[in-house]
Structures are given as C-alpha cells and as structure tokens.
Amino acid sequence: MSTAYAVGDTFTETTGPVDRADFVKYAGASGDFNRIHYDEPFVTDAGYDSVFGQGMFTAGVASGLVREVFGLHALAEFDTRFVAQVWPGDTLTTTVEIEAIDEGDDERRIEASVTVVNQDDEPVITGNAVAVQ
C-alpha cells in the first residue's frame, strides 16, 4: 500500500459475515478453547444468546488491514480494546484513520486510530497503531 499518507486518510476493509467455524478455526490456531466460543448449550446455560468470537480473533481481523496499510516492517505499535462481542453472522468493517504524522530528522512517525464495527455500525474493537518509516 502507499507510503504517502496525510492526516485524515482513511482505509477500510470488510470481513464476513463471520461464523462459528471462524471461531473454531481461530481456537485451533490460538489454543483458546474456551467453550463460550463454540459450545451453544454451554453458553445458553450461562445466559448468553449464542457463542461469540474471541477478542483476539477480532483483533486479528483488524490487524489484517493495519498490516496492509503500513506493512509489517514499519509497524511499531498496535493496541486494541475489546468493546463488544462478535456474534456468528456479524459482518465486520475495519477502519484505519491517519491521525498524526511527525516528520523527524531520520524517520517519520505515523499515528492512526483503528476501529472495527459490526453491521449495525456498533464498535466491537477500538485501538491505535503507530508506524515508523
């Protein structure tokens, strides 16, 4: 992706709809086999409507666009906060918005906000990323 950024540039990517198979695949890759992510009777007995995705699954969705925008070699920081659950059938839209650019003598530091929203435009992840070029 481009290395010419301006404050206010926005990049988006849509993923999904996600389903419980995605949560199970992520469990296999991450080792997070908490039953709340795949066992419907267990979660309904616990008071939830359905299984829901791992927070790090959603962070992984967000990281895909962050990597695409900045390139893994330039990514210096990436943090996320889980603000809502992701349910089977949700469609996730990740947005990376450039918020600041600091032109230093030897490097350029680019700060961006990262947000993932569901199909109802409700945030499920908020966060930040910093790239250094």
Side-chain angles (χ1 to χ4, degrees), residues 6-7 10 18 21 29 41 49 53-54 58 65 72 93 96 99-100 105 121 133:
V7 172
T10 301
V18 299
D49 293 336
Q54 300 89 340
T58 313
L65 181 59
L72 192 55
T93 300
V96 174
E99 294 194 334
D105 292 336
D121 207 30
Q133 299 177 327

Side-chain angles (χ1 to χ4, degrees), residues 1 7-8 18 23 36 39 43 45 47 51 54 64 74 76 81 86 88 99 103 108 113 117 119 126:
M1 188 152 288
V7 172
V18 299
F23 306 155
I36 59 175
D39 187 338
V43 296
D45 286 348
V51 299
Q54 300 89 340
R81 180 170 185 252
V86 170
E99 294 194 334
E103 300 284 352
R108 180 169 58 154
S113 64
V117 299
Q119 65 283 350
T126 60

Side-chain angles (χ1 to χ4, degrees), residues 64-81:
L65 181 59
V66 171
R67 283 190 325 264
E68 185 178 323
V69 169
F70 295 122
L72 192 55
H73 64 284
L75 189 59
E77 298 175 26
F78 177 55
D79 64 81
T80 57
R81 180 170 185 252

Side-chain angles (χ1 to χ4, degrees), residues 107-119:
E107 62 186 25
R108 180 169 58 154
R109 179 181 168 94
I110 304 156
E111 299 177 9
S113 64
V114 179
T115 306
V116 180
V117 299
N118 64 18
Q119 65 283 350

